[in-house]
Amino acid sequence: MTRLAVRALLAAVFWPSLFFFWFLGPFVFLLLSTTSSEVCPRLETRAEFLAAANGTIPLLAAQGLVYAVPVLCLVLWQRLLPEPARARHIVTCAKLFAVATAIGALWAYGSSLLCDGYGRPFFSPVWQWTSYLPMVGIAINVPLYVLTFSLGRANSTREEVSAGDAARPDRNIP
């Protein structure tokens, strides 16, 4: 397969995964990863409560793997066309992604621990601080989304057209 074909294949994976996983996925995983309000009133012991919260861990791991698809596409694009300027941005993107994933998982797990149907303090009040993590997550995710989108756009566009050919009017007519 040629490099152009591989780049096109990566673009075909990158854009849908970016849209569905990063923009629509958080709503689905939020609903699936937290302990539902119907389950909370039925939890009466600390062990039951902790077991319900720990039940979210496999889903959080799956969420992290699914969210990694666009970042993996960026890394593969960099392997195909190594550019030092983009390499620094991809490393920054990977670091932001790792931090955002950790904060998101901590928030989802912490919100599962906070859901007690009877208002009893089963766990340390430190878990209540996890309610502030969505604000931190937004502060990290906004630059991550912008950087990932711009890197994806730069990597998925064709660069074979020279500037002289692009300026000629007979080349732009379909």
Side-chain angles (χ1 to χ4, degrees):
M1 229 193 273
T2 67
R3 285 182 185 243
L4 184 59
V6 173
R7 286 178 61 195
L9 182 62
L10 284 172
V13 171
F14 175 81
W15 291 110
S17 67
L18 186 70
F19 177 73
F20 289 111
F21 298 154
W22 282 23
F23 297 129
L24 298 179
F27 300 112
V28 173
F29 281 115
L30 173 66
L31 294 174
L32 295 175
S33 66
T34 57
T35 306
S36 71
S37 59
E38 297 152 6
V39 174
C40 288
R42 290 188 263 157
L43 301 175
E44 296 185 6
T45 66
R46 182 181 172 111
E48 291 174 336
F49 204 81
L50 190 58
N54 287 339
T56 64
I57 291 174
L59 187 61
L60 292 173
Q63 177 182 351
L65 291 174
V66 167
Y67 284 170
V69 171
V71 175
L72 181 63
C73 287
L74 290 176
V75 170
L76 291 175
W77 267 322
Q78 181 60 29
R79 299 281 300 181
L80 284 173
L81 283 150
E83 293 182 33
R86 286 188 190 158
R88 288 191 321 269
H89 294 300
I90 291 173
V91 168
T92 302
C93 186
K95 288 178 183 178
L96 285 172
F97 175 76
V99 171
T101 301
I103 287 175
L106 186 61
W107 172 66
Y109 186 77
S111 64
S112 295
L113 288 176
L114 289 177
C115 177
D116 61 348
Y118 300 106
R120 291 184 294 224
F122 281 144
F123 298 94
S124 169
V126 173
W127 284 109
Q128 293 174 353
W129 284 90
T130 60
S131 63
Y132 295 107
L133 289 178
M135 292 178 275
V136 174
I138 288 172
I140 292 170
N141 280 322
V142 168
L144 174 63
Y145 288 177
V146 170
L147 183 62
T148 303
F149 183 82
S150 66
L151 286 169
R153 196 179 102 232
N155 283 320
S156 64
T157 56
R158 290 187 57 165
E159 296 172 357
E160 286 81 70
V161 178
S162 67
D165 287 342
R168 289 182 48 194
D170 62 333
R171 290 282 194 192
N172 295 332
I173 298 174

